[in-house]
Amino acid sequence: MLEWGMINTKHAKLKAWVDEVAGICTPDAVVWVDGSEAEKKRLEKRGVARGQLLPLDPEKFPGCFYSRSKPNDVARTEHLTYICTKDKEAVGPTNNWMSPEEGYRKAREILKGSMVGHTLYVIPFSMGPVGSPFSKIGVELTDSIYVVLNMRIMTRIGQPVLDQLGTDGEFVKCLHSKADLDVNKRMILHFPEDNTIWSVGSAYGGNALLGKKCLALRIASWQARKEGWMAEHMLILGVEQNGRTEYVVAAFPSACGKTNLAMLIPPEGLKGKGYKIWTVGDDIAWLRVGPDGRLWACNPEAGFFGVAVGTNSKSNPNAIKTVQKNTIFTNVLLGDDLSVWWEDGEGAPPSSGTNWEGKPWKPDFKDKDGKPLLGAHPNSRFTAPAGQCPSIASNWEDPKGVPISAIIFGGRRERLAPLVFESLDWNHGVYVGATVASERTAAQTGKVGEVRRDPMAMLPFCGYNMGDYFGHWIAMGAKIPKPPKIFHVNWFRKDATGKFLWPGYGENLRVLEWILARARGEGKADQTPIGWLPAKDALDLSGLNLPAGALDQLLSVKPEEWTAELEGVKAFFDQFGAKLPKELAKQFEALKERLKTKVAA
Ligand code: GTP
Ligand code: SPV
Ligand code: MN
């Protein structure tokens, strides 16, 4: 078999595994990815020649490519995502389970000969800086050039990783094949007991870039529980003022504002306060207890795989600047002038182009229901190197990570959840995280808008029984001598006419400001049954001009609505049976009592 690229490794197990997979998938060639610039150019050329990539206008978008996936392959498919363990209980009621035997057998059927006529690429990658004691190494075998080029941006790849692995280093075995991209033969399988991931039949980001959700969350969460740390679906950002920088992490469900918050630009009204915001990560945080007794966070990724639709120089100027070069755009509108565009994007759309489905597109075109024909899919994405972000923190690759002052949970709730509240203590904060609910977005297939429970924004990403996961959160609290405070935010509350009550985006710094003050033991707050809310004048709203009554609505807590919410929480918790930590049942009862007292008062 043709071997292309240098195989500079003496790792016998790795080589044997590559041979074994090549034996199943029977590619025409095996290529070891070294991560060099020359290799990148070669791959881009090949991708273009095979019609998988299109170079954009080199003047306007240097180093950028366009890619379109199949219309039925544009989001994560949670119903086709499995955790395969010996014991079904290990994955719990919120994950799909399959036995490892069945998983391997079914996927092997699809993988057999799936790479005939294609090349198998071997991508050694590191989640976290190469060589950091906190990093985890994976090797992804894939038949997709798109995957190789995306992994090159999202992770650290190539020879340095092989060097780090040495002759017998541990790695996660990641196998990906597009196969025939048939949704009926699509499976995203995780074998945490074997340190293995097999993904077949999809080329969409979260299903195919196996370092991201599959390794850095599902497999890592399993390892983290065993090893005493945390793998979370969180952004990491630093807030600098007067020479001091404080860091927060925030867990919001997919397409609920992590990238936006991570790259926030201080709003006009707070300009005089001299804030600077530093981006450390926009999607995943690995958290450990540091020698100083605080919780420290690292971003295991090296790039951003961000939602394109809605990104413009008003909502997220730093993201717009980040994607001007060396970026891969997936499922956006391709202009005939080799430009890209998306709804609520930047500038005027091109006069004509091809939309995400490959259909001819002009600004006035309508779909079959008479609605404007979408240029970009709502879950269209950009893949861009983190280092290109103007707000990237100078210490974003520090293997120690950054010390965390506050943990923020949030969801997309039209009603109920106030703009912000602070939990009473760590265990109550875990309850708040465990009961997050959010309206579904386009980031996963399914009905958009429906409210579902998404604890810690990890529902689709926790690699084991969520009852045990809640227990792990409780246990971690006891192990952190100086724990961060835990908050909940909601940027998405609406008024009676369906308009957002809070302007969001940069203005969210006003909420962060209060959160950080509270974390320091400052900032005024009023106690309510659900936790501490900002006192009437505690948020700095200078220059904001909120409509009359908006702030009252944003900060209102109606005990009867929260009492009604308890029903859904109970049903959700009941699924876990004996796995639900007693502490959470206690928190539930305590909240119920506090709500009663308040109603009576
Ligand atoms: P994943 O990459 O899927 O994990 O998502 P993410 O959490 O990084 O999502 P992102 O920041 O890309 O959020 C995208 C969606 O949230 C877009 O529809 C934005 O318009 C919307 N959004 C982000 N921040 C705000 C905000 O402060 N207010 C409002 N109303 N919408 C927001
Ligand atoms: C998400 O859906 O939460 C994402 C995109 O960040 S993906 O990597 O596709 O999961
Ligand atoms: Mn995400």
Side-chain angles (χ1 to χ4, degrees), residues 222-257:
W222 176 288
Q223 296 173 332
R225 177 171 173 238
K226 281 204 299 199
E227 297 166 7
W229 52 283
M230 305 163 91
E232 300 296 334
H233 191 202
M234 291 174 168
L235 67 91
I236 312 169
L237 74 80
V239 180
E240 181 183 337
Q241 191 193 29
N242 301 329
R244 169 180 66 191
T245 307
E246 295 166 307
Y247 299 87
V248 305
V249 287
F252 309 152
S254 302
C256 288

Side-chain angles (χ1 to χ4, degrees), residues 152-401:
R152 202 192 143 88
I153 298 174
M154 296 305 296
T155 74
R156 287 102 175 156
I157 66 165
Q159 191 60 48
V161 181
L162 286 181
D163 295 344
Q164 181 63 32
L165 262 184
T167 54
D168 59 356
E170 281 276 307
F171 65 96
V172 183
K173 291 183 268 184
C174 307
L175 168 55
H176 168 253
S177 174
K178 291 184 287 187
D180 44 13
L181 292 173
D182 178 353
V183 67
N184 296 312
K185 292 191 207 155
R186 182 175 300 164
M187 304 174 92
I188 323 307
L189 306 177
H190 306 71
F191 305 88
E193 290 153 340
D194 302 342
N195 242 358
T196 295
I197 301 161
W198 279 19
S199 163
V200 290
S202 169
Y204 170 71
N207 293 339
L209 311 177
L210 302 186
K212 196 172 176 56
K213 296 302 173 27
C214 300
L215 193 162
L217 288 177
R218 297 196 191 95
I219 297 289
S221 62
W222 176 288
Q223 296 173 332
R225 177 171 173 238
K226 281 204 299 199
E227 297 166 7
W229 52 283
M230 305 163 91
E232 300 296 334
H233 191 202
M234 291 174 168
L235 67 91
I236 312 169
L237 74 80
V239 180
E240 181 183 337
Q241 191 193 29
N242 301 329
R244 169 180 66 191
T245 307
E246 295 166 307
Y247 299 87
V248 305
V249 287
F252 309 152
S254 302
C256 288
K258 290 185 299 300
T259 304
N260 281 273
L261 190 67
M263 298 181 188
L264 178 157
I265 303 252
E268 215 37 62
L270 296 188
K271 274 274 146 60
K273 288 180 152 175
Y275 281 112
K276 276 202 192 110
I277 301 295
W278 299 112
T279 309
V280 179
D282 83 326
D283 198 46
I284 298 178
W286 284 357
L287 304 146
R288 292 171 189 272
V289 186
D292 62 352
R294 300 180 69 188
L295 192 62
W296 290 66
C298 287
N299 171 13
E301 302 192 278
F304 307 124
F305 183 63
V307 177
V309 168
T311 306
N312 58 55
S313 53
K314 230 178 132 230
S315 65
N316 194 344
N318 281 324
I320 290 293
K321 289 189 185 131
T322 306
V323 302
Q324 294 307 309
K325 56 181 185 189
N326 310 321
T327 298
I328 301 171
F329 295 93
T330 305
N331 296 332
V332 299
L333 173 77
L334 174 68
D336 287 344
D337 56 355
L338 300 180
S339 65
V340 282
W341 184 84
W342 48 82
E343 279 69 21
D344 291 324
E346 199 53 12
S351 54
S352 68
T354 313
N355 87 343
W356 67 275
E357 300 161 290
K359 290 184 182 157
W361 185 94
K362 282 194 168 136
D364 58 348
F365 278 15
K366 302 274 188 281
D367 67 12
K368 57 180 181 349
D369 303 322
K371 296 205 190 104
L373 179 69
L374 287 186
H377 185 271
N379 191 40
S380 53
R381 301 252 165 183
F382 54 77
T383 320
Q388 287 184 187
C389 181
S391 59
I392 197 75
S394 59
N395 55 348
W396 77 281
E397 298 193 276
D398 188 335
K400 290 197 304 302

